[in-house]
Structures are given as structure tokens and as C-alpha cells.
Amino acid sequence: MRHGSRFMAILFMLLPLCNIYSQEKGAREDNTLRIMSYNIRNGRGLDNVSNIQRTADVINKVRPNVVAVQEVDSVTGRSGQTDILRVLADKTLMFPVYAPAINYDGGKYGIGMLSKEKPLSYRYLALPGREEERALLIVEFEKYIYCCTHLSLTGEDRLASLDIIRKEAAKANKPLFIAGDFNAHPDSEVIQEVQKDFVILTNTKQPTFPADEPTETIDYIAAYAKDTTAFTRLSAYVVNEPAASDHRPIVAEIAFMQPAAQIFRTEPYLQNPVGNGITVMWQTTVPAYSWVEYGTDKNQLKKARTIVDGQVICNDLQNKVRLNDLEPGKTYYYRVCSQEIMLYQAYKKVFGETAVSDFHSFTLPASSDADFTTIIFNDLHKHSETLQALYKQVKDVDYDFVIFNGDCIDDPKDHDEATHFLSELNETVGAADVPVFYLRGNHEIRNAYSIGLRSLFDYVSDKTYGAFNWGDTRIVMLDCGEDKPDDHWVYYGLNDFSALREAQVGFLKEELASKPFKQAAKRVLIHHIPIYGKEVDRYNPCLELWGGLLAKAPFNICINAHTHRHAYYPKGTANGNNFPIMVGGGYRMDGATVMVLQKKGKEMTLRVLNAKGETLQDLKL
């Protein structure tokens, strides 16, 4: 039974993986449209076998957003009273829209459309055809209109049909596409006329008929010319399907331009304000080319981009730009800019609109600065109500930076979930104007997106532990890893925090012996899991590894979290702690805390508040 339970545990842990890539891909492809057109010959292949499943398989393999289909029976005698389009819709999981052209064999014969998105509206009208009447199907979707037709075998009728199609296209208030079997070659008069008002998206040099050995191009997908600035073609091809019909399907993939007002997904947020530099990060809804404009004067701005090995880092949703060579003590103004990349190929790139943010500002501390204020949150566990209640108590504090001491974006299952609460954290504390430090808690290490979470931050020295100066105060951050041994079954052999903790032994030795540490006026140690105190985990490898070094380290305060219970341990009261220790509360409203660490001149204070604004602790350090 234990093996069965463990198997189910593994299964449930892996289930979120099914959503990660689909959601990431969905974010990138939200504005991408794959259009297909297919003369299905009523499901009858070149082997004269009627097989709707075979037709559906062809469509499913392409995975189009929308398909224009021609030569479709509806409950005719020859199709055995079958509604062909309805059956195809069931087998492809798409919405059907049918447009009959003629009455035939006790039913109807005409054209249709299948779509993943439910249409907003549709209508159809007759087109001339002396051998048989033809039809034009017009289907409206949220972002576009798609038309399907099957033109006459007679040239005069095709030209007359084109006049009707032109008039209908001119009425469109959004991008309009038309596809179908035009029964005309690329050099014919009708196709030459089509190209006066439409841009053909498919490759006219790739034949589509007959399917087994195609020699003629008579199937097309085209866009109404007045709308071509709203999108770009990504690809077009003829599907290699030689048997399911007498025509081969055609496909065009396009990307719609994202309006500038919809390009930013998050506000910018400041990270890693060390070494006379600062990192600006933000996310976009579409792949973009991004940069930061900044300076001490809004009218004289510099431009910063991320360049690696000679190439600008772009065509992604995550944006990270480092501003270097800044002067401490000066106020800088900046704004972020992102231009959509609609197409990124070796020899062709297409750009869309550019989004420009409002101006924000920041000031880096000078090494001689003696004053600062920071607010510290911990163990929010994605509880918005707790975050807002705590921030209400400190919103009037004039703070210089913010620290989130772990388990705030806990158990992230995917990018969307992590980004959602990260944005709330950043926007709540105003991270566009004050830098934010995110320390990792043990719950940020768990779930499917835990590794991906790293891409949302810019850690000091590119590690989850490190040290930095804010003015004349030295702040040291450590990463305790998980709260169970690496070989615990719940980790499935995928953790090695023993090596991470061991690496921090060397870091601590070097840090405690460094000039910045020794010369600091005050020293602060911060890590998520406590290694001293009454509620310390029985598994305490950090004390074993770091205890000897910390026993002599002259920190003024150590700030911890993890236990969900506020606690204070004066120096020497918790397993020989060499410095006072403050532990933050949890996410429950009755036990949550926020800390205000402040230094003025030579004095440092630490105040702990609950969600009601009551002071639980007020220390002079």
C-alpha cells in the first residue's frame, strides 16, 4: 500500500507539469492564428473510400485555430443522411458553421467552417455559378473575420463573385481573411484581380491539386489588403496529405499586432542595488525587444539594453536590464520600453508597437550614509489579505528598500501563478521605485515552477545567498535550503542542499573576514529558517556547518521566519546565540507580522507589528 500511495503522490506532483508549457506557450501564442483551408471532397479520398475519421485526423494533426472547408454534404442520401460537418466538429472538438450552396440528394451541399473559438456571428450569401450555385460564408471572431468560398468553374462567374467579395470585405471593421478552392491558377485573370485588394498568404508556387501528385495551385488563403498592418505572416505551407481528398490542405500562420497598451504584463521592479548599479525587471505579454531609458534629468536620458556576447537579449517575455556606473546619492529617473517582436527569423524580423511606461525614480545609497529604513515580510504564502493588512500598518513609513524573507511565493506551480502574486507584492510595496530583495524559503523550493522562479529575480552575486552594504550597514543573507534531509522521500532524489550549505561555509569565512564586514557600523544577518531557538527543526544542518563561524560573528541582529510564530531571543538565550534573534510570524491574520528595521546615525532599531498595527517588539540594537 505504501508503494501505491507513493505512486499517487508522484502522479499528483507531476500533474502540474502538463500545464506549465501549455501556459507558457499560450502566453506567447495568444496573438497567433493558424488558418487552414481544405477541400475535403465530402470525406471521400482518392481511393474512393469515404472516411470522415481520416479527414478529421488530417485537421487534428495541423492543430489549426480555424478551418475553411469545401465540398461538404449535410444529410444527403449519398452521405447516408450524415451531417458531415457536425461529425467533423465532434472529432476535432471545434465549433461548426455551415453554409449550404444548393439542395442535393435530399439534403444540402455547400461549404463550412470549424473553429476552436466560438464565433461571435456568421452569415452567408449566394455567389454566381452557372454549373451550380456557389456561396460565401462570413464568420466573425473576436479579433478577425474569416471567409470561406468555393468559386465557380466559369471564369466570368469567378470575376462576378470577386466583386461581391470585395464589397463584403470593405465592410469589415477588423482583419479579414478569405480562403477556399478558387478554381483558378495563379496567373489567371481572377487571381490577378484578387491581388489588387487582397494579399495572398499561401505560397502560390506550391501546387495543391490533385492530392496524390499535385501540379496545379487552385487553393488559397488571402488577407484583405487594408488590414495587413495589423498582423504579420509567420509561415505558410501545403500539407503533405496525398490520399484523404483530391485536394491537399493549405495552412497559413499569422501573428496579430499587440496594442501598445496591452504589451506590459507587469510594472517594472527594482532588484540587486549593489556595486553602483541596479537591475530593472518586468514582463511583457508578447515577445519583445526591450530597453530602459534613464538619467538624472528626464530630458537627457541614456539607453540601456542587455547584451550578451555581442547580441541583444530579446524576443522573450521576461526582461532584465542592468544599469551600471551610477552615482550613489543621486536620484535617477527611468522608464521601460518594450517593442513587440512579431517575427524573429534569420533574415527577417518584424516589429510591432512600442509600449513606454511612466517615469519612476530611485536613489542608491552612498557608502557614508548612516540612515536607512527597510520593511520585512515573511511567510505570506500567497495570502493577499494578510499582505494588505500588514502593509496598511507600514504604508506611511518612508522606507528605502524591502525584504521578503521567504515563503511568500510558495509552492509555485507555474509561471502565471508565480507572476500573479509577485506582481501583487511588487505593486503593493512600490517596487518600481524602491528595490526589493527576495530571499528563498523552503516553500519557494517546492512545486513544478520552483526552478523557474529564479528567472523572476536578480540575486546579489547571482546566488540565493550573499551580502551587500546599505550605506554603512552590512547585510548578510543566507539560504538554509529545505527543512528535511535531501534523501527524504518527498524530494525524490532531486535536491542537494547539503552542497549548497557547504558552499556557504566558504562564503561565510570570506565574508566575516572581509573589509566591508569588519568596517561596517552595523551588521544584520537574515535567513528564512531559524537555526537557534525553542522551535528550531530537529533537522538542523546549518547550525552544524555554520555554528562555529556564527558563534564569534558580531551581528547586531538576526532576522528569521519559517515557524509561523513570532519570537524573540536575546543574545545567549537560545543554544548559545551570539546575537539577538527575531522570528517573524505566519500568514494567519492573528499571527502575521511585519518588521521595520531602521538606522539613524549610530542607533539601529527593530520594531515588530501585527496586522492590527500593535507593536509586539521594539528593540534598540
Side-chain angles (χ1 to χ4, degrees):
M1 290 298 293
R2 288 188 64 189
H3 290 295
S5 299
R6 186 167 298 183
F7 172 78
M8 291 304 295
I10 294 172
L11 178 61
F12 282 112
M13 290 182 72
L14 290 177
L15 281 175
L17 288 172
C18 301
N19 295 325
I20 293 174
Y21 297 108
S22 63
Q23 290 181 6
E24 286 291 311
K25 195 173 183 180
R28 289 175 173 270
E29 294 189 350
D30 185 49
N31 286 345
T32 301
L33 181 68
R34 186 175 294 125
I35 305 173
M36 183 176 182
S37 181
Y38 196 10
N39 184 326
I40 65 171
R41 201 189 185 200
N42 206 40
R44 183 165 58 93
L46 287 181
D47 54 7
N48 283 321
V49 174
S50 294
N51 187 338
I52 299 301
Q53 183 61 57
R54 178 169 58 180
T55 305
D57 290 343
V58 174
I59 295 172
N60 286 332
K61 187 175 181 180
V62 174
R63 295 182 294 112
N65 297 95
V66 63
V67 190
V69 289
Q70 303 89 48
E71 295 193 15
V72 188
D73 277 6
S74 176
V75 295
T76 62
R78 70 175 176 182
S79 64
Q81 309 302 316
T82 300
D83 186 339
I84 298 295
L85 192 66
R86 177 69 62 179
V87 173
L88 269 179
D90 291 341
K91 293 180 180 295
T92 58
L93 301 179
M94 301 176 88
F95 292 99
V97 177
Y98 187 67
I102 60 173
N103 296 321
Y104 182 80
D105 196 14
K108 305 288 185 180
Y109 172 76
I111 57 178
M113 194 170 295
L114 299 169
S115 62
K116 292 293 185 184
E117 177 187 348
K118 186 177 181 179
L120 298 178
S121 65
Y122 73 92
R123 58 193 176 92
Y124 56 88
L125 55 150
L127 296 180
R130 60 195 65 185
E131 72 286 349
E132 64 183 43
E133 290 186 4
R134 304 288 172 159
L136 173 67
L137 174 60
I138 304 170
V139 184
E140 182 181 7
F141 299 94
E142 181 182 358
K143 293 183 178 180
Y144 65 97
I145 296 170
Y146 194 30
C147 304
C148 175
T149 192
H150 185 184
L151 297 182
S152 171
L153 296 171
T154 305
E156 292 180 5
D157 292 340
R158 291 196 295 267
L159 289 171
S161 295
L162 182 56
D163 288 337
I164 297 172
I165 292 169
R166 282 190 180 115
K167 291 177 182 178
E168 293 300 323
K171 300 175 184 178
N173 59 358
K174 57 184 70 174
L176 181 142
F177 306 94
I178 186 168
D181 178 354
F182 285 17
N183 276 317
H185 297 131
D187 58 355
S188 66
E189 182 181 3
V190 68
I191 297 302
Q192 298 303 311
E193 287 295 317
V194 164
Q195 292 183 90
K196 291 180 179 180
D197 297 279
F198 294 84
V199 175
I200 295 177
L201 301 178
T202 41
N203 189 345
T204 59
K205 294 181 180 180
Q206 292 183 329
T208 61
F209 179 86
D212 54 349
E213 295 182 5
T215 57
E216 302 177 55
T217 300
I218 57 176
D219 300 275
Y220 303 88
I221 299 174
Y224 190 46
K226 78 171 185 178
D227 300 311
T228 55
T229 57
F231 65 89
T232 190
R233 186 184 69 174
L234 302 179
S235 64
Y237 58 94
V238 175
V239 179
N240 183 15
E241 173 47 58
S245 172
D246 59 345
H247 287 247
R248 290 193 174 190
I250 55 175
V251 179
E253 191 168 25
I254 63 144
F256 288 108
M257 182 184 296
Q258 184 83 317
Q262 298 176 20
I263 288 178
F264 290 134
R265 180 175 184 179
T266 69
E267 292 184 2
Y269 54 102
L270 299 173
Q271 295 269 280
N272 198 7
V274 302
N276 293 344
I278 199 166
T279 300
V280 185
M281 300 186 71
W282 70 101
Q283 293 183 39
T284 51
T285 59
V286 290
Y289 162 50
S290 297
W291 64 93
V292 177
E293 297 174 350
Y294 70 102
T296 56
D297 184 339
K298 292 180 182 179
N299 296 315
Q300 296 182 5
L301 299 174
K302 297 179 181 179
K303 181 178 180 178
R305 305 175 295 175
T306 299
I307 300 177
V308 176
D309 298 331
Q311 285 188 291
V312 174
I313 301 301
C314 61
N315 199 36
D316 203 348
L317 308 178
Q318 183 69 42
N319 305 279
K320 179 165 68 173
V321 177
R322 183 73 179 172
L323 309 183
N324 290 311
D325 301 321
L326 304 177
E327 292 187 47
K330 284 192 174 183
T331 296
Y332 284 85
Y333 302 94
Y334 79 94
R335 61 187 179 190
V336 299
C337 309
S338 292
Q339 184 177 23
E340 180 185 6
I341 296 179
M342 301 176 68
L343 181 67
Y344 193 105
Q345 295 179 345
Y347 302 104
K348 182 179 181 181
K349 293 167 180 63
V350 178
F351 296 89
E353 294 190 2
T354 300
V356 180
S357 75
D358 294 334
F359 273 105
H360 299 280
S361 64
F362 63 86
T363 304
L364 294 180
S367 59
S368 59
D369 285 355
D371 300 350
F372 77 86
T373 301
T374 182
I375 55 176
I376 304 168
F377 299 87
N378 65 274
D379 291 280
L380 293 170
H381 290 272
K382 298 198 295 278
H383 281 69
S384 298
E385 184 181 1
T386 303
L387 168 66
Q388 299 305 326
L390 292 174
Y391 186 72
K392 182 179 179 181
Q393 313 311 323
V394 295
K395 64 183 178 64
D396 294 327
V397 174
D398 186 16
Y399 51 89
D400 299 284
F401 60 98
V402 181
I403 297 175
F404 289 101
N405 191 15
D407 284 5
C408 292
I409 312 174
D410 66 316
D411 302 348
K413 70 177 182 180
D414 55 46
H415 177 86
D416 286 344
E417 182 181 86
T419 296
H420 177 76
F421 198 63
L422 173 68
S423 294
E424 183 174 358
L425 294 173
N426 288 333
E427 291 174 20
T428 297
V429 302
D433 297 280
V434 294
V436 177
F437 295 87
Y438 284 93
L439 277 71
R440 190 169 67 163
N442 57 300
H443 278 275
E444 267 106 4
I445 295 167
R446 300 174 183 175
N447 217 337
Y449 192 68
S450 56
I451 297 175
L453 197 61
R454 198 183 206 284
S455 68
L456 304 183
F457 308 125
D458 187 32
Y459 291 118
V460 175
S461 301
D462 199 32
K463 290 182 172 63
T464 56
Y465 57 90
F468 66 95
N469 268 65
W470 195 277
D472 61 2
T473 297
R474 189 68 169 172
I475 298 175
V476 179
M477 305 171 292
L478 298 176
D479 185 351
C480 297
E482 266 288 8
D483 59 0
K484 301 175 185 65
D486 290 337
D487 60 1
H488 193 285
W489 75 266
V490 76
Y491 303 139
Y492 296 90
L494 300 178
N495 288 351
D496 187 2
F497 290 109
S498 297
L500 178 71
R501 299 184 194 100
E502 188 68 45
Q504 290 174 84
V505 173
F507 161 74
L508 267 176
K509 288 180 179 178
E510 185 176 329
E511 171 61 25
L512 297 178
S514 69
K515 283 186 178 181
F517 185 85
K518 289 183 175 181
Q519 294 176 357
K522 296 289 184 181
R523 304 170 187 88
V524 177
L525 176 64
I526 182 166
H527 49 88
H528 180 73
I529 298 178
I531 63 176
Y532 300 101
K534 294 180 181 179
E535 296 189 25
V536 169
D537 293 330
R538 293 180 181 178
Y539 175 66
N540 195 355
C542 296
L543 182 60
E544 297 174 13
L545 288 170
W546 308 339
L549 293 169
L550 295 178
K552 299 178 181 179
F555 286 104
N556 298 92
I557 185 68
C558 175
I559 297 173
N560 299 145
H562 183 64
T563 65
H564 292 197
R565 293 187 182 182
H566 163 247
Y568 171 59
Y569 301 102
K571 179 179 178 179
T573 63
N575 304 325
N577 56 313
N578 186 44
F579 33 74
I581 296 169
M582 189 69 71
V583 182
Y587 63 85
R588 293 172 61 94
M589 202 67 77
D590 58 356
T593 61
V594 60
M595 303 184 193
V596 181
L597 180 66
Q598 188 173 60
K599 182 174 179 293
K600 288 188 176 182
K602 296 181 179 180
E603 292 189 356
M604 176 176 279
T605 59
L606 178 63
R607 190 158 55 104
V608 183
L609 305 172
N610 64 15
K612 297 179 181 179
E614 299 168 337
T615 299
L616 305 181
Q617 210 88 41
D618 196 353
L619 301 180
K620 289 185 178 181
L621 304 171

